[in-house]
Amino acid sequence: MKIVAITRVLNEADIIEAFTRHTAVFVQHHVFMDNGSSDGTIEILTALKQEGLPITVFQSRAVTFNEGNALTYMYNVAMREHAPDWVFCLDADEFIDDRAVSDGARAYLERLMSGSPRIEVVKIPMVNYFATSQDNPAEVVVPVRITRRRPPSDAYKIILRGGLPEADIVIEHGSHWAWLRSRPINSVVNSDLWLAHYSERSPFQYIAKFVRGWSKVLASGQAEVGRKTAYHYHDPFDFLRDKPGNFLRNPRFMGFKNEVPDLIDDPARYCGGGLRYSASVDEAMRAVRSLMGYLDDLATQHGRLIDEFPFVRAQVQDWERQINKLF
């Protein structure tokens, strides 16, 4: 049985090496789509590739919100180039945690191969971990440093069966669901197989994330805004824009805003071993690099729009479809 992972990544230099090494324990190949990282993420992925990890990296420097298209593209690349039986749809801050699964994730998926009816989607819960004052700041492996979590959330991510028809499959943004255009898709929930989720690792990382996230929605036009895409970024974006002191001079926000007494101390099992290309990061400077990179891309594309105004909408759509294989 062959398993492949697909991941869309953007400015995750603090976690990308640990994530890639950990995921490699569970999968035979990993396909990445970089959306224009400027914080060292590509350099780390390049080093991992040169070391021999089985990864492929594409790049699309998209300034609008096109996550679903990128995910579907990667799934179809995985089918054509690797013919997997299953595809994990993961973000770079999500670590497979199969401690509660009898015989592990691989054995579970193998059992599903011969089951009836034919399962095509496995839904697994996200378990949110949060940085706290108890963390060791010198520990660079995020899932080793951050050990306190909430109970499993009601948000799910998906593992997709391989071989779903290329022209038929659509993966929704966030990898929370997929569907077929021609017929219903058969799914099952496994509440024992978790994704340990480290979405907020520092205040500056979180600021860069919601500023960039909502900017991409705005850059996509009012139709995307009206659909409330990534709407959880909207309020913090507005608050930072209108009253930045409420965030930047707030000791709780700039400290450990999610640290509450009922967090569960339960480290996820990290399987990736030591890191070779990651070091302690100045998160404030990394946030600046991340946002300056996005601003550069956004401004550059806006200039192109001005230059080519008569064909603006068609041209932007063409740019978003231009995907180059890096290695």
Side-chain angles (χ1 to χ4, degrees), residues 7 26 38 40 42 60 67 106 108 115 133 136 138 142 153 169 219 248 262 270 281 309 322:
T7 297
F26 298 90
S38 56
I42 286 295
S60 170
E67 185 176 337
R106 184 175 185 85
Y108 165 72
S133 59
N136 176 10
V142 170
S153 73
I169 182 70
L248 301 179
D262 62 345
Y270 172 66
V281 178
F309 184 77
Q322 292 173 7

Side-chain angles (χ1 to χ4, degrees), residues 86 108-120 161 186-188:
W86 293 99
Y108 165 72
L109 292 173
E110 195 151 22
R111 287 194 294 272
L112 284 186
M113 294 289 293
S114 58
S116 182
R118 185 176 189 270
I119 298 300
E120 296 163 314
R161 188 74 168 256
N186 295 322
S187 67
V188 68

Side-chain angles (χ1 to χ4, degrees), residues 59-61 304 315 317-324:
Q59 188 174 71
S60 170
R61 303 191 73 90
R304 293 173 69 185
Q315 189 65 62
Q317 292 173 346
D318 287 342
W319 291 336
E320 300 288 5
R321 287 194 288 267
Q322 292 173 7
I323 297 170
N324 301 307

